[in-house]
Amino acid sequence: MKSNAAKKAIGVLKEWSIVLALILVWAVLSFLSPHFLQWSNISNIFLQSSHIMMCAIGMTFILIGGQMDLSIGSVEALSGTICALTLVNLGLPFIPGVILACCAGGLLVSRFKFPPFIATLSMQGIARGIALVICKGAAILVTDQTFKDFGRYRLFDFLPIPVVVALVFLVLAHIVLTYTTFGTNVYALGSNEVAAQLSGINVKRTKLCVFMISGFTAAIGGLIMSARLGSGQSTMGELDVMDTVASVVIGGTSMRGGVGKIRGTLVGVLIITTIRNGLNLMHVNSYWQQVAIGLLIIIAVLIDQLSKGELKKK
């Protein structure tokens, strides 16, 4: 009983500590920059977080399942360039472009027969290379107004469409992980793959599904970026793997698998996006921003290891 109570107490403390960290970051940045709390900047933070949020949703499934996906940034670029290509060069309307982009993203990261790290590392190069071939190193400009509205239109003049899309996917992901058999299987896979296999879970299919989810959400993230930019670019998403992993790990998802929640990912994404936004407002060099994000990942992993050690002792 004490062990269960300790686990619950640590879990609650960990969740609330993330929220308190977000509040602290906002408080500090509002003090350092008079422009931070302006509504235009707050709205910009949510808009900037939308494509990272989509990637982080898929990465949450990946890490809970005890896997790793390094290809999400390249899949973003590929999906964006495919969509731009179908709209501009092939003259297709918006919806078929979206379908083609999502299929490409989902399929590229799911067909593996060797360790996920190596598989997704190779897919990272393949997807980025195909994107470069498609756009020949230059941006594919899109004039389709529907496509642009997808990335720029604001409901009621303040709520960006990409934010609405991300919120819908957050709710769906929460439902899947919390209330479905598949969600239970993902947690079981990440906790102990052998035990999951022995309990009758189709491990191969579950792995395939989490990688398909990661590819699909990364593809949507690429569409959001392309719509915001009004073009498909092979350089999109180059830094998104670091930001995505940082967001998910800071949000409480364990790199060891079997632990994590979507609401934690939401807070983690907001923390990372807020820090980047604040550093930009203070004109901090982008190179130092990468150092800061890398340090945050190390700190988050250390905290995860310490909490796991305390649970074992108790």
Side-chain angles (χ1 to χ4, degrees), residues 5-20:
K7 289 180 181 180
K8 289 182 180 179
I10 291 174
V12 171
L13 179 62
K14 196 172 182 180
E15 287 187 27
W16 280 105
S17 65
I18 297 168
V19 176
L20 291 175

Side-chain angles (χ1 to χ4, degrees), residues 157-174:
D157 295 327
F158 76 92
L159 188 59
I161 291 294
V163 175
V164 176
V165 173
L167 289 174
V168 170
F169 274 88
L170 280 168
V171 172
L172 291 175
H174 172 72

Side-chain angles (χ1 to χ4, degrees), residues 62-270:
I62 287 287
L63 293 185
I64 290 176
Q67 309 301 307
M68 176 52 71
D69 188 354
L70 301 177
S71 66
I72 54 175
S74 298
V75 171
E76 281 185 280
L78 179 60
S79 66
T81 52
I82 287 179
C83 191
L85 179 69
T86 58
L87 289 169
V88 176
N89 295 346
L90 302 182
L92 296 176
F94 177 62
I95 298 301
V98 173
I99 294 173
L100 287 177
C102 291
C103 287
L107 291 174
L108 278 172
V109 296
S110 63
R111 301 284 184 176
F112 64 93
K113 295 182 180 179
F114 40 94
F117 182 89
I118 301 300
T120 58
L121 183 63
S122 62
M123 286 299 101
Q124 181 185 48
I126 292 172
R128 183 76 64 184
I130 294 175
L132 284 165
V133 170
I134 289 174
C135 63
K136 299 178 181 178
I140 303 176
L141 299 178
V142 178
T143 58
D144 185 273
Q145 192 58 45
T146 304
F147 184 70
K148 291 182 178 180
D149 287 343
F150 176 70
R152 303 173 185 178
Y153 183 76
R154 294 173 183 263
L155 293 175
F156 312 112
D157 295 327
F158 76 92
L159 188 59
I161 291 294
V163 175
V164 176
V165 173
L167 289 174
V168 170
F169 274 88
L170 280 168
V171 172
L172 291 175
H174 172 72
I175 292 172
V176 170
L177 281 174
T178 308
Y179 301 108
T180 68
T181 301
F182 172 73
T184 302
N185 292 346
V186 174
Y187 280 103
L189 172 66
S191 297
N192 190 319
E193 183 175 330
V194 175
Q197 183 79 54
L198 293 174
S199 65
I201 295 174
N202 189 326
V203 169
K204 184 176 180 181
R205 185 172 61 188
T206 303
K207 284 184 178 181
L208 179 67
C209 288
V210 295
F211 276 95
M212 288 290 288
I213 290 171
S214 179
F216 180 79
T217 54
I220 297 295
L223 294 179
I224 290 174
M225 288 187 69
S226 293
R228 288 182 58 199
L229 296 171
S231 64
Q233 301 179 23
S234 60
T235 56
M236 290 191 312
E238 289 182 326
L239 302 178
D240 286 353
V241 174
M242 176 177 284
D243 284 3
T244 300
V245 172
S247 299
V248 177
V249 174
I250 288 172
T253 299
S254 175
M255 295 286 288
R256 300 179 180 183
V259 176
K261 294 182 179 179
I262 286 294
R263 59 175 177 266
T265 295
L266 168 61
V267 179
V269 171
L270 291 178

